[in-house]
Amino acid sequence: SLSYSEGNNSVVDAALEACSGAADTSSGHAHSPVFVLLSSIGAGDSQVAIPAPAKEPMKAFMEDKFFAEKYVRRAGLNHVILRLAPLNDVCDDSEPGRPVLTENPEAYGWITPQGTAELVTTCLESGKLSGAILGNTYSALDQNTVFISNPFLRPLEPMEALPFDIFTT
């Protein structure tokens, strides 16, 4: 049985193998495949975003996620890393909410499964995975469910501005 880290590495290795020589030139333009790694808010420098009571119980999981991120970066794939907020299980799975990407590692909230799918699909289909975004790491969360996690966990009040900039291309 594979450990979580070994499983992540196996997926990256399979992507490397599949992508070797897979540039698409059918449109007359060279296009290299892009690997999108879904990680977690709390991995790497975003550990500051998760609430204090969750840090110790989630430590091993977040370390594994961060190891996977480092493995992807070293692999040489065209990639983008999306650190997902915890999934919002209160909303209907078919509701996307208002999903956004931010470069701020302190962003914290929830995201719906549909919101996650919308962000990945929008990025891939609209060409937003350009040179400006490739190789970078973003936190992915829903603007409707942003939380302030320091000094204690609380929802963002309606009159408060988002505590991070939204990434736009």
Side-chain angles (χ1 to χ4, degrees):
S1 155
L2 293 176
S3 72
Y4 188 78
S5 291
E6 292 169 329
N8 280 322
N9 294 355
S10 294
V11 170
V12 173
D13 291 343
L16 272 171
E17 187 176 318
C19 291
S20 62
D24 176 12
T25 57
S26 61
S27 65
H29 300 91
H31 173 73
S32 298
V34 175
F35 185 85
V36 179
L37 176 70
L38 299 181
S39 186
S40 296
I41 289 178
D45 63 348
S46 69
Q47 69 182 341
V48 298
I50 60 174
K55 287 185 181 183
E56 192 57 38
M58 299 294 292
K59 185 177 180 178
F61 177 74
M62 294 304 167
E63 286 175 353
D64 278 347
K65 288 289 194 178
F66 188 55
F67 291 141
E69 291 178 11
K70 291 193 299 188
Y71 195 77
V72 167
R73 287 185 190 103
R74 287 192 308 259
L77 289 168
N78 281 329
H79 72 278
V80 64
I81 297 170
L82 301 182
R83 289 179 175 160
L84 302 179
L87 291 178
N88 183 345
D89 59 359
V90 177
C91 292
D92 180 347
D93 284 350
S94 65
E95 295 179 31
R98 293 173 46 215
V100 295
L101 297 177
T102 180
E103 294 178 279
N104 187 329
E106 296 180 18
Y108 187 74
W110 290 344
I111 193 164
T112 65
Q114 183 65 27
T116 301
E118 187 176 291
L119 282 175
V120 173
T121 302
T122 298
C123 287
L124 292 172
E125 287 182 350
S126 68
K128 287 185 180 178
L129 288 179
S130 63
I133 193 172
L134 286 175
N136 293 323
T137 302
Y138 300 92
S139 294
L141 63 156
D142 186 337
Q143 290 183 73
N144 294 335
T145 55
V146 173
F147 293 92
I148 304 298
S149 59
N150 288 307
F152 54 88
L153 185 65
R154 68 175 179 80
L156 187 70
E157 296 295 332
M159 70 281 197
E160 291 180 282
L162 287 175
F164 53 82
D165 292 328
I166 296 172
F167 176 78
T168 57
T169 55

